[in-house]
Structure formats: C-alpha cells, structure tokens
Amino acid sequence: MSGRETRTGRATVRVASGQGFWGDSLDAPRRQVEGGEVDYLMLDYLAEVTMSILQKQRERDSDMGYARDFIGAVESMLPAITERGVRVIANAGGVNPPACAEALLKMAASHGATLRVGVVTGDDLLPQLDELIRQGHTLTHMETGESLDTVRDRVLSANAYIGSEPIVEALEKGAQVVITGRSTDTALTMAPLRHEFRWAADDWDRLAAGIVAGHILECGAQASGGNCLYDWRNIPDLANVGYPIVEAGADGSFVVYKHPGTGGRISVQTVTEQLVYEMGDPTSYITPDVVADFTSIRLEPAGPDRVRVHGIGGTPATDKLKVSIAYRAGYKAVGTLVYAWPDALDKAEAAATVLRERLDRLGLSFDSVLVEYVGASATHGPLSGIDTAPWRADLPEVQLRFGVRGPDRAAVERFTRELAPLVLNGPPSVTGFAGGRPKVEEIVAYWPALIDKDVVKTIVEVTS
Amino acid sequence: MKVRLLDLAHARSGDKGDMANVGVIALRPEWYPLLARLLTSDRVAAHFSGVISGGVDRFELPNLHALNFLLHGALDGGGTISLKTDAQGKVFSTALLRLELDVPADEARRLGLPGSA
C-alpha cells in the first residue's frame, strides 16, 4: 500500500536534475546539492547514440563503456552524499555498469569514504541476441518494419529500456548511489518517488505523475529557461542558470522550482516547452512502468520560479519493452567553405555545382549528398525565402556545407580531398578552410525495436 | 487578415528517428481555440512541402494550450545518419512559426491579436 508520507516521515520528496545528457555542465550536479536541501539527484547521461559510442569504447578496453564524467561528479558531491544523505541515481553505467561502480568505489576509497553503490544490470541483450532471434523475437524495426537480419552482422549494441523497478529495489536495499545502464530517463526520477511513497506497481495515476516529473527533469535546464523561446531575451542570468527540482507529494502532485539565487526561469511557459519536447502521441507516453497521459497534466503558477503540476492520469503499462540497437551503417563526411559578399550565395552555389561535377567525373557515388548554405537556408530550407529575398545578393557571407554518405569508406575519403582545392580552382572570395580536410566518420545508426517484457531479467546488486 | 504564427505561439521541437516533433503553444490561452481550428495537419504539411518527405500527424493538448505535430521524413534519416545541420530537428520549431494564418479581421480584433487594432 502507498504511504501518505515519506519513509522518513516527511510530506514531500525533492528530486533535483543535475545532467541532461553526457556533455552537460560539469558543475551542475554539485551546484544542485550545494544550492539548497534536496533528497535525490538524478543524472541522465544516455541518449540514443551514446550507447553505441560506449560500446565502441568497451570493445577497445573492457574496463570502459560508462560515462566517465560521472565519477568526477560524484567526487565533487561526496560530502553531500556521505554526510547529508543525498542519494544519487544515474544511468551513467552505459554498457558497463559494474566497471562504473568499481571506478566509483575506487574514487571513494581514495578519499577514505565508503559508499553503498547499487548496480542495475540485465538491460544488455547483446550476449543473448542470437538466442533471442532463434526463440522468435524478431526485433523488427519499429518504424520501417524491416527485419533485424538485414543488419545483424553489423550490430554493436542492444539494450532494453528498463523501468523504475530495479532502481526502487536498489534504494530499498540502502544504495546511496544507484548506477544503471539503459534505464529510461524518466525512471531515474520516478523511482525515488515510488520508493519513498511506496506507490504500488499498478497505481497508474501516481506512476504517470512520476513519469511526467521525470520528463520535466530529464533535459536539465531545458525546463528552467535554457533553450526557451518564450520571452527569451528577458530570462535572467543564464550564466548562473539553476537546474530544475521537483518537490512531490504522496498524491503525485508536485512543484517544479530551482534553488534561490540562481538564474534562469521556471514558469508555466518554460515547463510547457519542455513537456512538448520529443513528444509523440500525448495521450500515450509509453514507458516500461505505465502509459502516461500528457493531456491530463494541469499546470499553474505557484509563486516566483515555481510551477505546480497536478491532475496527471495514467493507464496500464504494455507487455513490451523498447530495445535500442546500434549498428554500423557506413561512412560520412561533411566539409565547409565560406564565401563572401558580393553575391556570396551565388558563389557558394557555383562551388557546389563544380564539386558535384568533379565527384561525378571521379566516378564516386554516394547514398546521399547534401548541400546546405549556412547563413541563407541551412536550417529552414526553402522556408527561409532566400531565393526571392531582395537582399539575396547582399548577404555578407555564406558558408557552403557539403556532406556525403555511403557504404564505401574509400569514396568518402576521396571526397574529403576534393574540397580544399576549390580555394584555388573554384569560384572567388572564398575562405574559412583553416580547419583542414573534413574527417571521415563511421556512422553508428539506431534501430528501435520491441521485445516481450518477461524476456528481460534485471539484476540488482548493492555493495556493502 | 494574415497573422504570423510567431506572433500567436511559441514552440519547441525535437527528434524521434527520422521524424521531427514540433510542439506549438499559444502565447495566450484564449488564442488556443483559434490555433486548434486553423492550424490543421494539411496546413502544416503544405507549409513543409519540399522540406519533409513524409506526412504530418497532429495531436491536441488543450490542457497546455498546445498542439503537437509529427513531421515524418524530416531529418535525412535522423540521428547519426543525417548529414543535416539540424539533424535532431531542434529548429523545426521556428520554421513552423514562419507560417501565416488567415484570421477573420473581426475575430482578430476580438482576440486582440497583434496588428489587429
């Protein structure tokens, strides 16, 4: 049964967001635990492509494959964790949560500290992938319906998105830091709420509320004034932006706020922009734990930089889990040159024509060639209206951005040698090539699929 | 009269595979019904004609005074495959806000739309 108060007898729980992706502000986690009292800190390190990068790192070194920034983040917060009892939940484990835990314990020991670290594994399906396929789990592409067979020999990683249950278990076993692999971003927030208020596994409305709280926190400052279009000029002090915090009650309602004295803004508008971010069908936001209904969310201002969120409904979870599969998908390279006034765009277009013709004459073929004109139409395409704009000829400069993609590394490599010569043997008024030849990148693509939930067995271990 | 969506709404966009989503939020709650009526999936599909290769899905969030659009085939394959500057669909939001709506002049005045006075 669920409680009306937390395990320690308080009415609310505070979960702070300290990282919206691997590469987010290094100081944010520490600032969240030092800027005021919080109970939990959630750190989201994983995006769809991150798992494959980590998989490549683990292939090179079996002790790697996790978000190494996380070790430094916890180091910067050791006193808050060991003395004040702030508990940290992170999907920093990537494709190697045990190695992440080991590095964490080593770091703690070097400071004479001990940590109870909870490690969640079982999301990694790569070792059993062929067995699963033999058993009839086809893992067809969720959007295109293609069979995984078409890329099976190029698969780098395969991870099921796991929900809140194993995190709750780790918290119940007393973990001060919980490390997961590919758990959903939202579970990192929902799990501590479910743990504290003992929400049942079929308490759909409350679980959905926890998911909505997680969606608001999972992109860090994107809910507290970062990347906010509404009234962006007047959002104060982004240099000192405060990351969002959720203070939730047992009924699932919560307030979004940030620490006093920080910059940024929390308003109905900043929270709404984050709510619609990466949204699909708002009536069914599917997670491993519950299907949340975003059309049920009610927002209201609750004082300066405070928004109250309530009324959230949910429906039963499905019997599937999403699987994130990464596979090698050829090569790409993108190069740029800058053309100056007058007629900068005409010159850049002429250069692109010359380059295409040279690639043709070399007999190089690609799956895709994409030409963009930065400063004219790169982001909005024909909607920029540049082709009929009276100031077309007066653009001060235009950056030609020329990209190719294909299965043949040698062809892509050859393309990278054809850009620089344009400086001397193409249209005039060209500069901006100091960066050298474009780099050939191997593409690691993402293959979303579904799998029966009962196939995925998570394991929770907590160090003593 | 013609009213730019930029003057009626704010927006945020993101990606899901080769699809971009754009959430469009009315600047004032009382403008939401107008958006819900005029900003149809056909209207948005026509706006992005030549920019996206697939169709447009539309969802209503009256509770947030918002509409959500899914633009299929928007990202040259999406994610790591895409060669686009905006491979993750981050600025499809403002591309949609370029759209102009035809609003009856008396309704525009009644709702206090910018430029209607």
Side-chain angles (χ1 to χ4, degrees), chain A residues 155-224:
Chain A
V155 168
L156 272 171
S157 65
N159 296 76
Y161 282 83
I162 56 178
S164 66
E165 245 159 62
I167 302 173
V168 170
E169 187 183 333
L171 292 172
E172 276 164 13
K173 288 177 173 169
Q176 293 167 292
V177 179
V178 182
I179 299 169
T180 73
R182 184 61 278 189
S183 66
T184 60
D185 308 344
T186 48
L188 306 174
T189 298
M190 195 264 263
L193 301 181
R194 186 176 165 188
H195 162 70
E196 288 284 354
F197 295 121
R198 305 171 187 82
W199 290 339
D202 61 354
D203 194 346
W204 308 118
D205 291 348
R206 287 174 192 174
L207 296 181
I211 293 298
V212 171
H215 185 82
I216 291 170
L217 294 188
E218 73 184 16
C219 294
Q222 219 182 204
S224 53

Side-chain angles (χ1 to χ4, degrees), chain B residues 9-87:
Chain B
H10 59 121
R12 180 170 291 177
S13 57
D15 68 324
K16 270 201 192 308
D18 193 23
M19 188 165 70
N21 100 291
V22 185
V24 177
I25 307 149
L27 287 173
R28 292 197 204 160
E30 63 269 27
W31 295 349
Y32 171 73
L34 180 80
L35 292 183
R37 192 178 87 231
L38 298 180
L39 199 57
T40 61
S41 50
D42 285 349
R43 188 75 187 73
V44 171
H47 180 69
F48 283 112
S49 147
V51 179
I52 66 173
S53 63
V56 172
D57 299 323
R58 175 188 186 272
F59 300 95
E60 299 185 352
L61 293 105
N63 55 320
L64 302 179
H65 316 110
L67 299 168
N68 186 38
F69 294 93
L70 302 183
L71 313 176
H72 294 264
L75 301 177
D76 182 39
T80 52
I81 295 178
S82 177
L83 295 170
K84 285 170 72 73
T85 296
D86 191 19

Side-chain angles (χ1 to χ4, degrees), chain A residues 142 161 184 186 211 279-294 315-322 450 453, chain B residues 16:
Chain A
M142 274 173 74
Y161 282 83
T184 60
T186 48
I211 293 298
M279 169 63 38
D281 176 352
T283 62
S284 56
Y285 185 97
I286 301 170
T287 78
D289 297 293
V290 62
V291 178
D293 180 0
F294 275 45
T315 50
T318 72
D319 57 1
K320 305 282 187 195
L321 290 180
K322 192 170 169 183
L450 293 174
K453 207 178 243 176
Chain B
K16 270 201 192 308

Side-chain angles (χ1 to χ4, degrees), chain A residues 4-286:
Chain A
R4 275 184 307 173
E5 51 187 33
T6 69
R7 286 166 183 265
T8 50
R10 291 208 332 273
T12 60
V13 179
R14 294 156 299 191
V15 183
S17 164
Q19 196 81 178
F21 67 104
W22 188 7
D24 201 356
S25 173
L26 289 174
D27 285 339
R30 182 183 54 76
R31 292 177 61 223
Q32 281 293 59
V33 299
E34 289 180 357
E37 288 301 317
V38 298
D39 304 300
Y40 292 86
L41 181 71
M42 62 74 67
L43 305 172
D44 175 23
Y45 285 95
L46 301 181
E48 285 164 357
V49 298
T50 318
M51 296 301 279
S52 56
I53 297 167
L54 292 170
Q55 180 64 35
K56 278 185 166 180
Q57 292 180 359
R58 188 175 71 174
E59 277 178 10
R60 285 196 293 270
D61 180 343
S62 61
D63 291 335
M64 291 296 162
Y66 60 90
R68 291 189 306 282
D69 285 358
F70 177 63
I71 309 302
V74 174
E75 187 170 29
S76 74
M77 302 185 288
L78 267 182
I81 298 167
T82 57
E83 290 159 31
R84 282 164 43 213
V86 176
R87 300 170 88 179
V88 178
I89 303 163
N91 54 14
V95 297
N96 204 350
C100 182
E102 201 171 310
L104 199 62
L105 290 169
K106 213 164 129 188
M107 177 278 297
S110 77
H111 292 277
T114 52
L115 281 180
R116 282 176 71 81
V117 178
V119 185
V120 177
T121 53
D123 59 302
D124 186 355
L125 303 180
L126 192 60
Q128 58 193 103
L129 193 58
D130 289 318
E131 179 58 26
L132 289 171
I133 293 169
R134 257 198 305 282
Q135 289 168 6
H137 301 283
T138 54
L139 297 167
T140 50
H141 194 291
M142 274 173 74
E143 284 149 33
T144 65
E146 272 178 283
S147 163
L148 187 65
D149 290 346
T150 57
V151 300
R152 171 65 191 97
D153 56 338
R154 292 182 278 143
V155 168
L156 272 171
S157 65
N159 296 76
Y161 282 83
I162 56 178
S164 66
E165 245 159 62
I167 302 173
V168 170
E169 187 183 333
L171 292 172
E172 276 164 13
K173 288 177 173 169
Q176 293 167 292
V177 179
V178 182
I179 299 169
T180 73
R182 184 61 278 189
S183 66
T184 60
D185 308 344
T186 48
L188 306 174
T189 298
M190 195 264 263
L193 301 181
R194 186 176 165 188
H195 162 70
E196 288 284 354
F197 295 121
R198 305 171 187 82
W199 290 339
D202 61 354
D203 194 346
W204 308 118
D205 291 348
R206 287 174 192 174
L207 296 181
I211 293 298
V212 171
H215 185 82
I216 291 170
L217 294 188
E218 73 184 16
C219 294
Q222 219 182 204
S224 53
N227 190 29
C228 182
L229 184 60
Y230 182 85
D231 195 32
W232 68 271
R233 287 178 194 278
N234 298 311
I235 293 175
D237 198 13
L238 280 177
N240 180 38
V241 64
Y243 277 47
I245 306 165
V246 156
E247 179 164 16
D251 66 352
S253 69
F254 57 89
V255 169
V256 189
Y257 71 104
K258 62 188 183 68
H259 285 315
T262 59
R265 176 184 290 166
I266 289 179
S267 67
V268 167
Q269 288 86 0
T270 70
V271 172
T272 303
E273 282 197 23
Q274 175 54 23
L275 282 173
V276 299
Y277 180 64
E278 291 183 345
M279 169 63 38
D281 176 352
T283 62
S284 56
Y285 185 97
I286 301 170

